[in-house]
Amino acid sequence: MDIHNHARWLKDFYISRQWYPYPPFVRLAFMSEELGELAQAVRTHEIGRDHPHEQKLSEDEQLSHIREELADVLDNLLIMADKYGFTADDLMQASEAKLTKRFGEH
């Protein structure tokens, strides 16, 4: 699987679920929610959580949870980019151009 095929599949999936029409501002709220879930998963893995009602997860379970939350953030990012007419390539090129210009490295 590559990111372009996934982005196309994801857009079709969101359209079929009637999630695609949400405007970018709402999409940003969803992305913020996913970032919070990622932060909690990373915290659990890195320093732990002391909550009596949460079961302890194995390291593999913790890493699986982090991967899942990273995927959720990526999906929201890809949908947000599509809303503005950007592809994953556009974002990667913008990133490299900005960092190269800022730090003069390649």
Side-chain angles (χ1 to χ4, degrees), residues 43-81:
R43 175 187 169 188
T44 298
H45 181 69
E46 296 297 326
I47 64 173
R49 288 176 49 87
D50 187 17
H51 288 258
H53 301 295
E54 292 181 3
Q55 75 175 21
K56 300 286 185 196
L57 300 175
S58 69
E59 182 161 348
D60 286 345
E61 290 171 322
Q62 290 174 16
L63 291 173
S64 179
H65 190 203
I66 290 170
R67 181 181 56 227
E68 179 183 307
E69 297 306 336
L70 282 166
D72 289 347
V73 170
L74 176 64
D75 285 352
N76 274 277
L77 179 67
L78 290 171
I79 292 295
M80 176 80 81

Side-chain angles (χ1 to χ4, degrees), residues 8-92:
R8 282 189 293 274
W9 175 88
L10 184 67
K11 182 177 180 179
D12 290 343
F13 181 80
Y14 271 50
I15 289 169
S16 75
R17 302 289 304 171
Q18 299 178 347
W19 298 344
Y20 190 80
Y22 291 120
F25 195 74
V26 172
R27 178 74 32 220
L28 186 58
F30 294 156
M31 189 183 310
S32 296
E33 180 181 341
E34 295 300 343
L35 283 169
E37 292 174 9
L38 175 59
Q40 184 175 355
V42 168
R43 175 187 169 188
T44 298
H45 181 69
E46 296 297 326
I47 64 173
R49 288 176 49 87
D50 187 17
H51 288 258
H53 301 295
E54 292 181 3
Q55 75 175 21
K56 300 286 185 196
L57 300 175
S58 69
E59 182 161 348
D60 286 345
E61 290 171 322
Q62 290 174 16
L63 291 173
S64 179
H65 190 203
I66 290 170
R67 181 181 56 227
E68 179 183 307
E69 297 306 336
L70 282 166
D72 289 347
V73 170
L74 176 64
D75 285 352
N76 274 277
L77 179 67
L78 290 171
I79 292 295
M80 176 80 81
D82 187 76
K83 289 286 196 175
Y84 287 106
F86 300 125
T87 66
D89 284 340
D90 294 332
L91 300 181
M92 292 183 289

